Amino acid sequence: MNDLNADILIEDSRWARLDFEALAEVACQSVLDHLGQAGEVEVSILACNDARIAVLNADFRGKPQPTNVLSWPAEERGAKVAGAHPLRPRPGADGTIELGDIAIAYETCAAEAEESGRSLEHYATHLVVHGVLHLYGYDHERDPDATLMESIETEILGILGIQDPYKSLE
C-alpha cells in the first residue's frame, strides 16, 4: 500500500472544468498501484497554459515552444538496457519516495485531444500517466523502451476504462 502526496498547482483556471486535481490524483495513484509501489510517494504537478510550458521547455530542453507535458524526475532511473524496466526509486532518509515534477499545458492538451477524437478528460489522464511513468524512468527514445512504456500506459488506462491511446479511433 502507498500513501500518495500529490502537490497539484492549477495556474490556468480552464483546468478546473475537468476537476483536474481529482483526475491527476487518480492517474498518479493508478500508476503507483500498477507498478506495485509501496510507501509514501511525493509528486508535484503544474497545470498551466502553453505560454508557461513554452518557457519551461525553453529553459530545460532548449525548445522554445509549447508541448503537452514535461517531466523532471527527482533522480535518473532510466534503464541501461533497451526495453528493460528502469531502476525502482529508493526512499529518502525520511522514508519518502520523491518522484519529481510534471507540467501539463492546457491549450496543447485540448488541441491534441480534439485532433485525436478523444475527450479532454481521457487525454489529460493519459498525459499524467505518461508523465508519472517518465518520473519512474520509463522513456520512449529507443524503440524497445517506447514499446514497454506504451504497453504499461495502455494497461493502466484500460483499468481506468480509457481506450488504448496508440490505436486509431474508428
Side-chain angles (χ1 to χ4, degrees):
M1 188 69 182
N2 60 62
D3 182 22
L4 173 64
N5 180 9
D7 181 20
I8 300 169
L9 175 61
I10 298 177
E11 277 190 354
D12 188 308
S13 62
R14 292 173 289 181
W15 284 113
R17 293 182 219 150
L18 282 181
D19 192 7
F20 183 80
E21 194 165 330
L23 177 152
E25 287 179 2
V26 166
C28 289
Q29 189 65 57
S30 297
V31 174
L32 301 181
D33 291 347
H34 189 78
L35 297 178
Q37 182 64 63
E40 187 171 337
V41 179
E42 292 182 355
V43 63
S44 295
I45 301 174
L46 171 66
C48 61
N49 60 25
D50 275 8
R52 175 81 150 120
I53 211 163
V55 170
L56 294 170
N57 204 16
D59 289 350
F60 291 96
R61 297 177 65 219
K63 297 179 179 185
Q65 70 257 2
T67 188
N68 51 18
V69 65
L70 292 171
S71 57
W72 296 271
E75 63 180 295
E76 178 56 43
R77 299 182 181 99
K80 302 257 186 263
V81 176
H85 289 275
L87 299 172
R88 295 307 298 254
R90 294 183 312 245
D94 66 353
T96 301
I97 295 169
E98 292 183 29
L99 287 181
D101 305 323
I102 297 169
I104 184 170
Y106 187 84
E107 295 95 334
T108 298
C109 185
E112 290 176 353
E114 184 175 331
E115 185 179 295
S116 69
R118 300 183 199 297
S119 73
L120 180 56
E121 180 181 7
H122 284 183
Y123 197 75
T125 300
H126 174 214
L127 291 179
V128 172
V129 166
H130 185 87
V132 174
L133 286 173
H134 273 311
L135 298 182
Y136 268 95
Y138 290 93
D139 210 335
H140 41 80
E141 296 300 315
R142 303 175 292 193
D143 287 344
D145 295 332
T147 298
L148 176 62
M149 184 173 182
E150 289 171 10
S151 71
I152 294 169
E153 286 175 60
T154 300
E155 290 171 13
I156 293 167
L157 294 171
I159 291 166
L160 294 172
I162 298 174
Q163 182 179 0
D164 181 348
Y166 298 103
K167 287 191 178 172
S168 62
L169 295 174
E170 298 170 7

